[in-house]
Every structure is written in structure tokens, then in C-alpha cells.
């Protein structure tokens, strides 16, 4: 009898998660939301909920130690998990850190990793409360779980966007991807001739965007001060296009996203062009910016108008109108996600 074998790339990352988890139902009354958003939502009192999110970082898949110092890796690992709690409009409070580590790492290397973890814990006000440590045959694997808290009524799900809401992005986009191109180029130069030192001059900002992204806890605080509760929110880990489509799918809506409105730093654009890349494409498909993408009701527009940290990039439409990217010539192109799919590497 032939054994059935289905290759992982047939399903892709999201298809696989759906396939494996679709038969699970939640039994606990406290489980408000299980799988499907940036964090799970668990009721802890009449008014408050706990948020839980977990992510893996694997050497060779998510990071390359040739150009990622371990201290930066520690910081980034915490930041990306804290970012998932922010994406629910919550406040991060604790993390656990689990690692599998091979004998190629001396204690000093892991001390550096934990120095970065500690700096991030200080920066985001979170406590390290546990984890697990085990041997690995190859390289380093990190898994971090972040726990946060939110007022239940103010939680922002991916599913809450409504027709006519405004689509807002925090910070600027595309920098992390262009920074990665600079690091990859210098890695190749170094591999060809180890005597040549990396030339990162003038690229500090974008290299920093790649190596040391910040979770936007400040945006969550601004929104609170401004008394704005986003109707939906997600963090930009895979590229703007993929995240906009996640919101559209979960909220059963369409959108118009405008090329000319996407916030891109001048240094990102300049370097993208140097690499023959279109800056907007880097923002749409690059990923790892860890900014926040959210929707607000039009009635909240006056509260955030002119805020330098938040840029309106489009609006939500009826699902029947589809999800479109409007380029600089005014042509509407169907929005597609070409974010990184780790199974395709
Ligand atoms: P994110 O991009 O925020 O890390 P993912 O795309 O990794 O989110 O995951 C989407 C959803 O699927 C999340 O709710 C996550 O908790 C859940 N999920 C991912 N992998 C698994 C798994 N192996 N088993 C159960 N749930 C999973
Ligand atoms: Mg994940």
C-alpha cells in the first residue's frame, strides 16, 4: 500500500496552520480568541484580558550570525514578540525564552545574547519569567513567548475593520528589507575577500532597521493618550501587502492602498534605488519593519491628523470592491502578498 506523502510547500505556512488546527475547538469559557490573530486573548476578569503570543527564530532561516551580532539578536527576538502584543492594543508584561543551542557557542556568546534580551526587557518594561534550555545538533533556535494585558473592550483584532475606515501605518516602511540587502552585499564581498572590511557607511539607519527593530509600544501609548481605539490592527512583520490582506480577509472588507502615501524614509529610497529596487515594492513585500498597521473610524481622524508617527495610507472598502494598490499613475492593481514564505527557501 502506498503511503500518502504531501510536501509542505503544497500548503504554505498559513495553509499548513489551517490544515493542522481546523478541527480544534475551544472549550474554556476564558478563551476569547485562540488561533488567528497576533496573540491569543484570554479573559482574566470582567474587564481585562491576558494576551499570549509566541514566535520562533531559527539560525539560517530568520537570522544569519555572520552579520547579526548575538546582542542584537537577543534584542530583536524580544522586540518582535512584544510587537505582537502591541498589535492587539495591549501592554506587554512578561516573556519566557526557550533556546536550543549547539556546542559551537561558548558561554560568552550566550552571555551576549542575554545582554540583548535584558536591554529589551528594560526598554519595554517586561519581566523574564522562565523558559527552557536544551542542546541542538545545529546552530541556535530561540522561541520567545510574550504575555500582555489589555482592557477587553479596547483590544484591536485583525477582524474589526469597517467600510470607510482609514488605513494607517506607523513609522516608515521598507527600511529593514533594504538594510538586509546592504548586509547581504557586504557578506558576499567579505566571503570573496575576507581582508575587505564591511562598508556600511551611510547605511546606519537601514542596517539598524534590520538588526535592531523596535516594537512600537510608544504608538500604543499615543493612541491611548489620544483616546483612539483602532478598529483593527496587525504588526508589519511580513510586508505591508501581506498584512493589509490579512486585515481585509479577517474583516471581510476590501481596501485602496495608495503608493504615494506609503511612508518611506529618504535613506531607504536612496539605497533601494542603488540596488535597482522600487522603494514601494520594498515596503509592500520586504517585511520585518515591525511597524503597526491599523484602521480607525473616520470620526477619529481629527485626533491623529498631523501626528508625525502615523500616516494615512488608504481606506477600507466593501469586500466586493476588492483589495487594490493604486500606483503613482492612478492605476489600481490587485494587491498580492509576496511576503517571505519560509517553506520556499
Ligand atoms: P504571526 O505572523 O503573528 O507570528 P503566524 O502567522 O505565525 O502569526 O500564526 C497565525 C496564527 O496561527 C497565530 O494565531 C498562531 O498562534 C497560530 N499558529 C501558528 N503556528 C501554529 C501551530 N503550529 N499550532 C497551532 N497554532 C499555530
Ligand atoms: Mg508566527
Amino acid at each position: 500500500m502506498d503511503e500518502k506523502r504531501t510536501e509542505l510547500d503544497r500548503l504554505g505556512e498559513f495553509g499548513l496552520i489551517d490544515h493542522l488546527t481546523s478541527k480544534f475547538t475551544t472549550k474554556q469559557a476564558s478563551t476569547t480568541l485562540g488561533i488567528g490573530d497576533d496573540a491569543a486573548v484570554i479573559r482574566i476578569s470582567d474587564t481585562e484580558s491576558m494576551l499570549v503570543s509566541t514566535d520562533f527564530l531559527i539560525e539560517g532561516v530568520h537570522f544569519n550570525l555572520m552579520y547579526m551580532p548575538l546582542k542584537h539578536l537577543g534584542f530583536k527576538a524580544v522586540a518582535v514578540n512584544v510587537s505582537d502584543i502591541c498589535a492587539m492594543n495591549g501592554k506587554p508584561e512578561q516573556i519566557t525564552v526557550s533556546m536550543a543551542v549547539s556546542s559551537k557557542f561558548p558561554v560568552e556568546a550566550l552571555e551576549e545574547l542575554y545582554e540583548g534580551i535584558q536591554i529589551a526587557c528594560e526598554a519595554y518594561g517586561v519581566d523574564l519569567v522562565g523558559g527552557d534550555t536544551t542542546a541542538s545538533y545545529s546552530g541556535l533556535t530561540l522561541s520567545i513567548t510574550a504575555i500582555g494585558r489589555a482592557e477587553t473592550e479596547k483590544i484591536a483584532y485583525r477582524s474589526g475593520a469597517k467600510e470607510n475606515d482609514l488605513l494607517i501605518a506607523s513609522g516608515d516602511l521598507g527600511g529593514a528589507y533594504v538594510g538586509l540587502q546592504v548586509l547581504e552585499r557586504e557578506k558576499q564581498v567579505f566571503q570573496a575577500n575576507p581582508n575587505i572590511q564591511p562598508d556600511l557607511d551611510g547605511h546606519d539607519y537601514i542596517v539598524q532597521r534590520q538588526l535592531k527593530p523596535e516594537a512600537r509600544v510608544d504608538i500604543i501609548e499615543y493612541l491611548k493618550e489620544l483616546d483612539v481605539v483602532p478598529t483593527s490592527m496587525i504588526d508589519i512583520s511580513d510586508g505591508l501587502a501581506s498584512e493589509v490582506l490579512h486585515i481585509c480577509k479577517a474583516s471581510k472588507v476590501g481596501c485602496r492602498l495608495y503608493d504615494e502615501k506609503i511612508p518611506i524614509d529618504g535613506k531607504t529610497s536612496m539605497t533601494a534605488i542603488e540596488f535597482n529596487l522600487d522603494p514601494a515594492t520594498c515596503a509592500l513585500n520586504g517585511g520585518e519593519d515591525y511597524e503597526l498597521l491599523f484602521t480607525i473610524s473616520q470620526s477619529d481622524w481629527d485626533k491623529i491628523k498631523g501626528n508625525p508617527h502615523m500616516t494615512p495610507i488608504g481606506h477600507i472598502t466593501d469586500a466586493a470592491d476588492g483589495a487594490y494598490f493604486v500606483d503613482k499613475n492612478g492605476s489600481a492593481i490587485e494587491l498580492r502578498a509576496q511576503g517571505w514564505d519560509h517553506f520556499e527557501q
Side-chain angles (χ1 to χ4, degrees), residues 38 87 158 232-236 243 246-247 291-293:
D38 293 287
R158 294 179 182 180
S232 71
M233 187 149 55
I234 187 168
D235 72 332
I236 307 180
E243 314 304 358
H246 277 313
I247 285 187
E291 294 293 342
L292 294 170
L293 172 73

Side-chain angles (χ1 to χ4, degrees), residues 47-228:
T47 56
E48 281 194 310
S49 294
M50 182 166 78
L51 305 167
V52 183
S53 176
T54 196
D55 260 315
F56 259 130
L57 285 173
I58 316 275
E59 184 176 349
V61 179
H62 301 99
F63 60 90
N64 185 326
L65 289 174
M66 268 195 78
Y67 48 65
M68 177 65 117
L70 279 160
K71 195 164 141 185
H72 286 68
L73 177 67
F75 187 96
K76 181 169 177 174
V78 177
V80 305
N81 280 278
V82 164
S83 177
D84 277 324
I85 301 296
C86 294
M88 306 300 290
N89 204 22
K91 182 175 162 292
E93 294 188 337
Q94 290 89 12
I95 56 161
T96 64
V97 176
S98 300
M99 66 175 179
V101 59
S102 77
S103 56
K104 81 173 182 187
F105 293 94
V107 173
E108 289 75 13
L110 299 177
E111 282 173 357
E112 243 187 84
L113 176 74
Y114 267 71
E115 220 183 296
I117 291 176
Q118 192 168 14
I119 293 171
C121 285
E122 292 297 322
Y124 300 124
V126 297
D127 297 332
L128 171 64
V129 295
D132 198 19
T133 304
T134 172
S136 133
Y137 288 118
S138 69
L140 174 67
T141 295
L142 276 180
S143 170
I144 294 195
T145 297
I147 300 163
R149 184 190 294 262
E151 265 180 74
T152 304
E153 281 200 340
K154 297 193 171 164
I155 293 175
Y157 294 94
R158 294 179 182 180
S159 56
K162 299 270 177 306
E163 195 177 346
N164 297 325
D165 282 356
L166 299 173
L167 192 59
I168 315 279
S170 72
D172 60 84
L173 303 174
Y177 180 76
V178 182
L180 182 64
Q181 304 314 305
V182 172
L183 290 166
E184 285 284 344
R185 178 179 68 188
E186 295 311 315
K187 184 183 89 180
Q188 279 166 18
V189 172
F190 180 77
Q191 278 171 335
N193 182 352
N195 295 319
I196 297 179
Q197 288 301 305
D199 173 20
L200 302 176
D201 276 2
H203 296 306
D204 303 13
Y205 178 69
I206 52 175
V207 166
Q208 176 102 346
R209 294 290 286 166
Q210 168 60 220
L211 293 183
K212 194 171 173 283
E214 293 281 353
R216 298 305 308 257
V217 286
D218 57 331
I219 296 289
I220 301 308
E221 283 158 15
Y222 288 137
L223 289 171
K224 195 173 170 189
E225 280 164 24
L226 296 167
D227 194 27
V228 173

Side-chain angles (χ1 to χ4, degrees), residues 253-319:
V253 294
C255 75
R256 289 286 182 287
L257 169 65
Y258 295 91
D259 190 358
E260 62 192 6
K261 304 231 155 122
I262 298 175
I264 300 177
D265 189 273
K267 294 178 277 290
T268 302
S269 302
M270 255 167 52
T271 314
I273 290 162
E274 200 182 305
F275 278 90
N276 282 323
L277 295 166
D278 171 36
T281 306
C282 296
L284 286 170
N285 300 323
E288 293 207 289
D289 289 312
Y290 296 101
E291 294 293 342
L292 294 170
L293 172 73
F294 54 97
T295 54
I296 60 165
S297 148
Q298 292 217 9
S299 58
D300 279 334
W301 170 238
D302 278 344
K303 298 183 195 164
I304 76 156
K305 196 163 75 183
N307 188 307
H309 307 285
M310 308 177 201
T311 308
I313 56 172
H315 62 267
I316 299 297
T317 63
D318 187 76

Side-chain angles (χ1 to χ4, degrees), residues 37-50:
D37 216 302
D38 293 287
V41 178
I42 298 163
R43 194 170 65 86
I44 49 177
S45 76
D46 286 347
T47 56
E48 281 194 310
S49 294
M50 182 166 78

